[in-house]
Amino acid sequence: AQSVTQPDIHITVSEGASLELRCNYSYGATPYLFWYVQSPGQGLQLLLKYFSGDTLVQGIKGFEAEFKRSQSSFNLRKPSVHWSDAAEYFCAVGDSSASKIIFGSGTRLSIRP
Amino acid sequence: NAGVTQTPKFQVLKTGQSMTLQCAQDMNHEYMSWYRQDPGMGLRLIHYSVGAGITDQGEVPNGYNVSRSTTEDFPLRLLSAAPSQTSVYFCASRSQAGNQPQHFGDGTRLSIL
């Protein structure tokens, strides 16, 4: 069975600064990996996904993530954050068919003006 | 396209009552899932299905039943509601074909008194 850990509960960064949100997964085979964002009171929006191929994945809103098999990680990055990026971010891992997808507990991102 | 439709959007129950949360998708997706979202705990998988007639337990299945008689519908039943089941419930669907992400419904906010 797969699992996913987001070690940072809450992160605050200054507007314009770079961002990295950590995600570690556990799964015996090559996983399917996702990052979602959720603004307060809203539903989930997919930022990016990794299924296979290039380990550096580009997503929407200027986000990217890198799959590192040796570290069992799939960290989310953005070179320069905007105030509108304040939200909760969820990493998720799917099994070999991505029929069963497990989410992490989330990281809340705050932006300092 | 309606996508994933959840009804109702809000519901208040008394302890011990039963209720069914409805989920329907019009995208002919094989995979469907139910999650609950609680503060600080992310989304936790309750049950999932890989096709009509096939369901399986997720991370937190106790107190919930599901069935999948058609491809389109995946109802979630609470047989005897408990205050611990107060949560926001999300239904999701996904095609098994290719590297497709999950599509989420807008959620059902359920309060159990």
Side-chain angles (χ1 to χ4, degrees), chain A residues 51-101:
Chain A
F51 283 81
S52 64
D54 193 349
T55 56
L56 184 62
V57 180
Q58 301 297 321
I60 63 172
K61 302 185 178 186
F63 286 94
E64 67 176 26
E66 186 171 11
F67 170 55
K68 293 185 177 180
R69 184 189 303 275
S70 62
Q71 299 178 20
S72 297
S73 69
F74 189 57
N75 294 349
L76 182 72
R77 300 192 294 250
K78 187 170 185 178
S80 177
V81 298
H82 185 261
W83 63 266
S84 60
D85 293 324
E88 188 141 25
Y89 292 79
F90 295 98
C91 180
V93 58
D95 61 6
S96 57
S97 62
S99 59
K100 179 181 181 182
I101 298 176

Side-chain angles (χ1 to χ4, degrees), chain B residues 13 26 32 38 42 45 57 101 105-106:
Chain B
L13 292 178
D26 62 358
M32 294 186 75
D38 304 290
L45 182 65
Q57 296 182 350
D106 291 335

Side-chain angles (χ1 to χ4, degrees), chain A residues 32 34 36 38 41-44 46 49 51 88 90 95 97-106, chain B residues 31-33 35 37 40-43 45 48-50 57-59 90 94 98-102 104:
Chain A
Y32 291 124
F34 310 84
Y36 286 85
Q38 185 180 38
Q42 301 298 311
L44 290 143
L46 179 71
K49 61 186 185 294
F51 283 81
E88 188 141 25
F90 295 98
D95 61 6
S97 62
S99 59
K100 179 181 181 182
I101 298 176
I102 302 295
F103 282 74
S105 54
Chain B
Y31 299 158
M32 294 186 75
S33 301
Y35 295 89
Q37 184 175 23
M41 304 189 75
L43 280 78
L45 182 65
Y48 66 106
S49 169
V50 298
Q57 296 182 350
E59 302 170 276
F90 287 99
R94 178 182 171 272
N99 58 349
Q100 299 302 309
Q102 290 191 106
F104 282 86

Side-chain angles (χ1 to χ4, degrees), chain B residues 3 21 27 34-35 38 44 48 51 67 69 75 77 83 93 107-108 111:
Chain B
L21 307 186
M27 298 170 283
W34 274 104
Y35 295 89
D38 304 290
R44 291 181 290 168
Y48 66 106
S67 60
S69 56
R77 283 181 284 275
S93 73
T108 295
S111 294

